[in-house]
Amino acid sequence: MNDALALPVGTTLDRFIMRKQEDFPFATGELSQLLRDIALAAKIVSREISRADQDTMGKFGQQNVQGEDQQKLDVIANIRFIRALRNGGEVCTIVSEEEEEPIHTGNCHAKYIVAMDPLDGSSNIDVNIPTGTIFGIYRRLSDGGQDGTLEDCLQKGTQQVAAGYILYGASTLLVYTTGCGVNGFTYEPSLGEFFLSHPDMKIPEKGKQYSCNEANVSDFPLGIQNYLAFCKEQKYSSRYIGSLVADFHRNLLKGGIYFYPGSSKNKTGKLRLLYECNPLAFIAEQAGGQATDGIERILDKSPAELHERCPLVIGSSEMIDKVRKYMTL
């Protein structure tokens, strides 16, 4: 038989998860199944986005807990992920950007809490710009047999057992870490499978591009303003999509820095600590980068509220070190 006539298609996400589980002799499979549940929801949301029409595009007509206008696909993605996590049986409680209170799944003996932004950058869908899902997974602290508690939800980023994001764009990618490096998988819709496409992802230590909304620069802290001036002196490229997952993913591959700092109008910035900053910070550190609020490491911050906002500076390690110097001058 001539194998050249049938080239291998690669390693599927399911097979990759199974192999990694075998590296841990005491693993019981719940986290592996949870990651599969997230992948299933990602496939469904990817389909919804790719075939978006007048029935699913545009504003939903309500605001979420953040006071932001919900898009129809915000609501759809939220429903899809909640259903997948509830039906999978491995999650007792979900924290979602779209819900004011924690969502209890009824799986009282489940071991995990999931914090998620079901569809980040959803306002970009109408203009065909990439969007994403962000998720962080925590092991519950309370005893089983009851719903997850607020304490279960309000954990530091260092306590995440896994985190990831899904990027919906020209292709759909799922990138995740369980604390043993970062791996990326590209969705092949004709086969209905995610295949390993970006093994052991590492962010370059140095970068020459920055991502931020420069329209707000006059409201940024002085240290950030001075760092931006340094970037321009060095002829760094400005690359800003306005979709957090897309901007972060590009910098992860190419090297660079993303920042959404606090401002004179909003000291805590815009991004949410639990389900945006923490998961991406975990991924960044596992890939060799850093994440900070400008001074403090993101993963060391103790959340006090479900929807707490936090400044974010994230990306290549050398660039983050430079920002810290400017912030402490």
Side-chain angles (χ1 to χ4, degrees):
M1 185 174 67
N2 190 340
D3 288 344
L5 293 176
L7 297 175
V9 295
T11 303
T12 66
L13 176 63
D14 278 355
R15 184 174 297 171
F16 184 88
I17 289 173
M18 182 178 66
R19 288 176 179 171
K20 290 299 181 182
Q21 182 179 318
E22 291 171 353
D23 293 339
F24 300 92
F26 300 105
T28 53
E30 289 101 329
L31 181 59
S32 297
Q33 182 57 51
L34 172 49
L35 291 169
R36 294 187 186 100
D37 296 336
I38 289 172
L40 173 61
K43 294 175 186 179
I44 298 171
V45 172
S46 177
R47 181 196 65 183
E48 301 282 9
I49 290 172
S50 65
R51 69 180 190 183
D53 56 25
Q54 62 183 2
D55 292 327
T56 56
M57 293 175 70
K59 294 182 179 180
F60 180 61
Q62 296 182 15
Q63 292 185 331
N64 62 18
V65 64
Q66 320 295 330
E68 301 165 342
D69 290 331
Q70 285 184 312
Q71 305 295 312
K72 293 176 183 177
L73 279 166
D74 278 322
V75 178
I76 291 170
N78 191 47
I79 292 171
R80 295 299 189 188
F81 274 96
I82 290 172
R83 282 181 182 170
L85 295 173
R86 178 180 284 127
N87 293 338
E90 310 302 340
V91 177
C92 63
T93 301
I94 303 165
V95 177
S96 170
E97 181 192 22
E98 304 302 328
E99 305 284 346
E100 184 171 1
E101 300 295 333
I103 304 146
H104 301 300
T105 64
N107 304 314
C108 295
H109 292 283
K111 296 179 180 178
Y112 295 103
I113 308 289
V114 170
M116 66 175 183
D117 182 348
L119 196 60
D120 171 74
S122 57
S123 60
N124 287 324
I125 288 174
D126 291 353
V127 290
N128 206 26
I129 289 176
T131 55
T133 297
I134 308 171
F135 62 90
I137 301 173
Y138 301 80
R139 188 179 294 273
R140 71 183 298 170
L141 303 174
S142 60
D143 295 331
Q146 59 183 352
D147 293 329
T149 65
L150 187 60
E151 182 186 9
D152 289 325
C153 300
L154 297 178
Q155 298 186 53
K156 288 183 178 181
T158 51
Q159 294 174 275
Q160 291 175 108
V161 297
Y165 62 84
I166 301 106
L167 176 65
Y168 311 103
S171 59
T172 297
L173 285 91
L174 188 157
V175 176
Y176 83 95
T177 181
T178 56
C180 299
V182 180
N183 293 280
F185 300 79
T186 299
Y187 183 52
E188 171 48 74
S190 66
L191 298 175
E193 294 279 5
F194 281 99
F195 288 92
L196 181 63
S197 55
H198 297 73
D200 195 22
M201 299 172 75
K202 298 294 183 185
I203 185 170
E205 184 177 356
K206 302 178 182 180
K208 292 186 177 180
Q209 58 186 24
Y210 63 93
S211 309
C212 72
N213 185 351
E214 292 190 73
N216 297 325
V217 64
S218 61
D219 295 321
F220 288 168
L222 182 60
I224 295 292
Q225 292 186 39
N226 290 336
Y227 178 73
L228 264 174
F230 166 79
C231 289
K232 293 177 180 180
E233 290 172 2
Q234 298 299 309
K235 305 296 183 183
Y236 290 171
S237 297
S238 175
R239 296 285 184 268
Y240 185 63
I241 299 171
S243 177
L244 174 59
V245 172
D247 279 310
F248 176 78
H249 182 73
R250 184 193 54 245
N251 289 341
L252 179 61
L253 295 180
K254 304 288 188 180
I257 188 169
Y258 173 95
F259 39 92
Y260 205 116
S263 67
S264 58
K265 297 178 181 178
N266 189 347
K267 299 294 185 183
T268 56
K270 175 185 177 184
L271 302 177
R272 271 66 56 150
L273 177 59
L274 269 180
Y275 44 79
E276 290 177 323
C277 299
N278 273 347
L280 295 185
F282 190 18
I283 293 168
E285 290 196 4
Q286 284 295 311
Q290 295 187 55
T292 173
D293 63 3
I295 301 295
E296 184 181 2
R297 180 189 180 212
I298 289 292
L299 296 181
D300 287 334
K301 296 179 72 69
S302 297
E305 301 175 0
L306 292 177
H307 303 286
E308 181 176 331
R309 297 179 188 266
C310 175
L312 178 64
V313 183
I314 188 168
S316 295
S317 185
E318 187 177 275
M319 301 179 84
I320 301 294
D321 287 340
K322 194 77 173 180
V323 171
R324 281 200 175 100
K325 290 179 180 178
Y326 275 103
M327 292 295 288
T328 55
L329 288 177

